[in-house]
Amino acid sequence: MALLSSFGKYKDLGLLLMRIGLGLFFITIHGFPKLAGGPEMWAGVGSAMSNINIHFFPTFWGFMAALAEGLGGLFLLLGLFYRPTCIFLLFTMIMAGIYHLSAGDGMATASRAFEMAVVFFGLMFVGPGKYSLDKR
C-alpha cells in the first residue's frame, strides 16, 4: 500500500478539491435557488427557526440561510473567511437537520444535513489548506 501512503503529501490538494466540490454544490444546488426564490421562499426557510423557539423575522432568517449557503459556498470554494464561513454553514446545516426531523421526514432525510454539519465542523479545525485566498 505504498502507493496510497504517498497521498499524504497532497493533503492541501485534497482540501482544495473538497472546497471546490462542496462550494459548487452549495452555490448551485442550495444557495442560489433560495436566494432567487425571494421573500416568500425566505420566509418558508426561516420558519425552521421556530423549532428552537425563535418565531420572529422568519424572512430575515431564511435570507440569512440562503446567504450562508450561496455566499458561504463561494467563500468555501475560494478559501476566503474560511472558519467563519464554516461556522455559518455548520449552524445552517444543524437547523436544516432539526427542521427535517420536526417535519417528520425521518433521520434518513435529516442525516444529509447533519452529515454536512459534521464536515463543516471538521473543516473548521483543519483550515483551508495552502491553496486558498486566506493563505495568500
Side-chain angles (χ1 to χ4, degrees):
M1 290 308 189
L3 174 68
L4 295 179
S5 65
S6 68
F7 282 147
K9 295 185 280 187
Y10 304 105
K11 66 181 178 196
D12 289 307
L13 178 62
L15 282 168
L16 174 66
L17 294 173
M18 282 182 59
R19 287 194 352 255
I20 291 171
L22 289 172
L24 286 174
F25 274 110
F26 268 85
I27 292 166
T28 59
I29 305 298
H30 299 285
F32 180 73
K34 286 184 184 90
L35 285 169
E40 189 174 309
M41 178 174 273
W42 303 338
V45 170
S47 69
M49 294 296 284
S50 65
N51 293 312
I52 59 169
N53 287 324
I54 296 177
H55 303 284
F56 54 88
F57 302 129
T59 304
F60 168 77
W61 295 115
F63 176 73
M64 294 307 290
L67 198 61
E69 292 177 351
L71 191 59
L74 177 65
F75 285 166
L76 189 71
L77 187 147
L78 297 173
L80 183 64
F81 309 118
Y82 187 76
R83 286 189 169 94
T85 297
C86 286
I87 291 169
F88 284 119
L89 287 167
L90 168 66
F91 178 76
T92 304
M93 292 300 99
I94 289 170
M95 290 308 304
I98 291 170
Y99 168 78
H100 285 296
L101 287 177
S102 69
D105 295 336
M107 193 59 182
T109 302
S111 68
R112 295 180 201 141
F114 289 132
E115 289 162 359
M116 289 310 306
V118 171
V119 168
F120 292 126
F121 188 63
L123 287 176
M124 184 176 58
F125 288 98
V126 175
K130 71 179 180 181
Y131 306 122
S132 69
L133 291 180
D134 278 354
K135 294 293 179 182
R136 298 276 171 220

